[in-house]
Amino acid sequence: MSKVLHFEGHKYLRQRLILATLSSKIVRIDKIRSDDQDPGIRDYEAKFLQLLEKATNGSTIEISYTGTSIMYKPGAIQGGRIEHDCGTDRSISYFLEPMLALAPFSKLPFVLTLQGITTDHIDPSVDILRTVLLPQLARFGIEQGVQLKITKRGAPPLGGGEVIFNCNSVRQLKPVQLTDEGRIRKIRGIAYCTRVSPQTANRLVESARSLLNRYIPDVFIYTDVYKGAESGKSPGFALSLVAESTTGVLLSAEKAAEAGQTPEDVGLMASKLLLKEIKLRGCVDTTSQWLNLLLLVLSPEDVGKVRVGQLSPFTIQYLRDLKAFFGVSFKIQPDEQTNTIVMTCMGVGYVNHNKKTT
Amino acid sequence: ASQMFHAHRRINLMDLVYNQTDVSPEDIASGNYDAQDLDGAQEDDSDDDDAFFSLKKEAAEDQLDRMLDTSRTQPTTAEFEEWEDEDMLDSIRNRFITGDIDAANGE
């Protein structure tokens, strides 16, 4: 318990803090941008620490005077009704993604209201979290009262969006073995636009269909046009796509408009990214690798398996951190036939003691 | 020979992720570790490699600095151009239920 885990650097800050919270280990992170012109933690990182403090009970966070090192003693995961302004440096997903991993193990049900940017081109959008990550939580038995509602959209740079995330806690996860990637059965998507011509959404859909319809006729993309107060403060549009296979595997890709890109560009880029995910043949897409691996580690003491297409740098570091915090290492078996990787591990049998058995 | 290669690679991947923590995740993902492994015997070569890698990182530092803490990988322009190619587009035809099921199973 008294052992302090040491890390260095500003990268992977979120995941380390979350893993520290889940494993109740004290963590110290040094050299946060110590060589940078502008040293120390950034605003969005400070905001994330604040959110973490709100979501837990009894945590202490000490930030050094220069902001280049953090000492974090995790408390209990409390949950309850939390409201947080995420600012406009990073999107809401930057904050919500790690919260998805905490929420199932909290004392009280999570009712989390986050304000900020709903979709940007750096983090996965809230649409992807809702349509892909939440069903993946359900696979592990986290399905009661899980809901993500996007009440307001907010595009960068000014944001102004709002989402509400609900999640009831669970006592224990279900073990999962997911190795059959199946074949793609249908493609769904959401084309959203705010404060631009409503026609933009249709143009997004049109261009995506032009590429995806050569494979499968079952492509349905919702157009989601927000108006008035619900549309946030800045104009923006994006397309997120989800391919579902015969075995219920969900693969996602998305593209948010950057300056100077036409809806046609964005639609095609999103489609190409989806094709890339499909080509990788994983059972989870690159964005959700980390969540699935974490939940496998927290699963009951049984063998859990998942097939992934290719390990992303984020995931590789995550594997190392998972080992540091939980002492679990995955068996990483490349499958030459399909050029995929099967990840196998023994769960640690994590039990949420706050939740009474019924 | 390809079997040998893959057998070699299998050991590598677990070893790389868990034991060789000095190799950065980015290098593992992009496959840069092979060169390091093979050249490991020759000290001079590996030194050259190290110098090369650190240089590359410095150049990309500004961008990486802001981008890295995200679970999404940033797409490159090359990746988009790849999908202009008809053969590439056809290569995943059988991953869909509309494709040829025998070909998909036979692969």
Side-chain angles (χ1 to χ4, degrees):
Chain A
M1 187 64 202
S2 60
K3 205 174 148 240
V4 180
L5 286 166
H6 285 267
F7 290 101
E8 282 182 5
H10 65 281
K11 293 177 196 167
Y12 316 108
L13 181 80
R14 286 182 304 168
Q15 67 190 50
R16 283 167 181 162
L17 294 175
I18 291 299
L19 288 175
T21 315
L22 285 170
S23 62
S24 353
K25 289 201 165 94
I26 303 170
V27 64
R28 186 187 167 92
I29 301 169
D30 292 313
K31 292 190 182 165
I32 300 173
R33 297 193 185 88
S34 48
D35 298 331
D36 204 278
Q37 276 188 331
D38 179 16
I41 58 169
R42 294 277 180 272
D43 272 356
Y44 59 86
E45 284 159 352
K47 284 211 166 80
F48 178 70
L49 288 169
Q50 284 166 7
L51 176 60
L52 201 57
E53 207 165 23
K54 284 182 194 172
T56 55
N57 188 12
S59 313
T60 51
I61 301 167
E62 286 165 33
I63 304 172
S64 72
Y65 184 68
T66 51
T68 52
S69 54
I70 300 173
M71 179 87 159
Y72 174 58
K73 289 195 191 96
I77 308 168
Q78 182 73 15
R81 198 170 282 276
I82 304 163
E83 214 170 290
H84 192 66
D85 182 1
C86 302
T88 51
D89 291 332
R90 294 295 289 261
S91 73
I92 286 176
S93 314
Y94 175 84
F95 300 86
L96 186 54
E97 242 187 322
M99 286 299 136
L100 290 181
L102 281 190
F105 309 104
S106 71
K107 193 172 176 190
L108 304 168
F110 253 70
V111 184
L112 181 64
T113 309
L114 297 172
Q115 282 130 9
I117 295 169
T118 51
T119 309
D120 67 6
H121 54 272
I122 301 167
D123 289 297
S125 73
V126 288
D127 292 307
I128 295 290
L129 297 192
R130 186 171 66 86
T131 54
V132 178
L133 292 191
L134 295 192
Q136 284 178 349
L137 287 177
R139 202 177 277 147
F140 286 89
I142 309 162
E143 46 195 340
Q144 237 195 345
V146 180
Q147 196 190 27
L148 178 64
K149 220 167 121 188
I150 303 162
T151 47
K152 286 179 197 165
R153 288 276 173 180
L158 294 174
E162 187 181 78
V163 302
I164 301 169
F165 171 61
N166 293 8
C167 182
N168 286 359
S169 50
V170 295
R171 187 169 163 84
Q172 221 176 354
L173 298 173
K174 280 189 210 158
V176 164
Q177 299 210 339
L178 188 64
T179 49
D180 185 5
E181 78 273 20
R183 309 172 83 201
I184 306 301
R185 174 161 80 90
K186 62 181 183 185
I187 294 174
R188 292 288 177 266
I190 299 167
Y192 102 90
C193 63
T194 60
R195 298 197 176 261
V196 290
S197 154
Q199 198 55 37
T200 311
N202 297 338
R203 285 165 68 189
L204 283 169
V205 175
E206 207 58 37
S207 63
R209 275 180 164 280
S210 71
L211 189 62
L212 296 175
N213 269 350
R214 70 181 274 151
Y215 296 109
I216 195 160
D218 193 357
V219 177
F220 191 85
I221 301 169
Y222 299 89
T223 53
D224 205 354
V225 180
Y226 281 75
K227 285 184 189 131
E230 288 176 348
S231 64
K233 293 172 186 162
S234 297
F237 53 91
L239 177 64
S240 59
L241 295 167
V242 181
E244 193 183 328
S245 84
T246 46
T247 50
V249 164
L250 298 168
L251 302 171
S252 71
E254 63 174 336
K255 184 81 187 79
E258 291 172 64
Q261 287 172 340
T262 65
E264 283 75 19
D265 292 342
V266 173
L268 278 178
M269 280 176 176
S271 318
K272 284 173 184 172
L273 289 174
L274 184 69
L275 294 181
K276 190 187 139 211
E277 284 291 346
I278 292 171
K279 188 178 165 56
L280 288 176
R281 304 189 72 148
C283 286
V284 297
D285 55 26
T286 319
T287 308
S288 44
Q289 280 175 359
W290 71 273
L291 183 68
N292 282 278
L293 295 180
L294 171 65
L295 294 176
L296 280 180
V297 166
L298 297 175
S299 286
E301 288 162 29
D302 197 353
V303 177
K305 262 187 199 177
V306 67
R307 184 190 295 274
V308 298
Q310 213 173 31
L311 293 174
S312 71
F314 186 86
T315 311
I316 290 167
Q317 184 57 46
Y318 204 71
L319 287 169
R320 288 176 176 171
D321 288 347
L322 276 173
K323 195 184 179 197
F325 283 100
F326 288 100
V328 174
S329 49
F330 276 80
K331 192 172 166 206
I332 307 170
Q333 271 176 306
D335 182 343
E336 294 110 55
Q337 237 182 357
T338 53
N339 208 7
T340 54
I341 301 166
V342 180
M343 310 287 294
T344 316
C345 87
M346 192 71 142
V348 295
Y350 191 89
V351 180
N352 180 2
H353 290 288
N354 296 316
K355 180 95 175 169
K356 300 279 179 291
T357 39
T358 46
Chain B
S2 80
Q3 281 247 314
M4 283 281 286
F5 171 74
H6 283 298
H8 180 64
R9 197 184 143 109
R10 169 175 16 221
I11 304 158
N12 260 350
L13 206 54
M14 265 191 88
D15 191 48
L16 273 167
V17 171
Y18 290 121
N19 297 335
Q20 301 187 28
T21 39
D22 50 328
V23 183
S24 82
E26 289 76 26
D27 283 344
I28 296 177
S30 55
N32 274 347
Y33 56 83
D34 273 348
Q36 280 182 337
D37 265 11
L38 297 175
D39 295 342
Q42 295 167 301
E43 277 302 311
D44 298 339
D45 265 15
S46 67
D47 275 355
D48 276 355
D49 276 358
D50 284 347
F52 174 68
F53 286 140
S54 62
L55 204 77
K56 182 178 131 196
K57 264 179 216 146
E58 257 172 44
E61 191 88 50
D62 281 352
Q63 200 200 354
L64 286 178
D65 203 41
R66 275 190 47 239
M67 295 297 187
L68 260 174
D69 197 12
T70 168
S71 57
R72 214 168 92 181
T73 44
Q74 298 301 321
T76 57
T77 3
E79 275 175 309
F80 291 120
E81 278 162 12
E82 217 172 69
W83 290 102
E84 301 286 331
D85 186 33
E86 285 292 316
D87 289 344
M88 189 71 175
L89 289 169
D90 281 333
S91 70
I92 59 164
R93 160 82 53 204
N94 294 324
R95 289 280 291 114
F96 292 83
I97 49 168
T98 47
D100 186 356
I101 185 127
D102 295 328
N105 291 338
E107 261 179 22

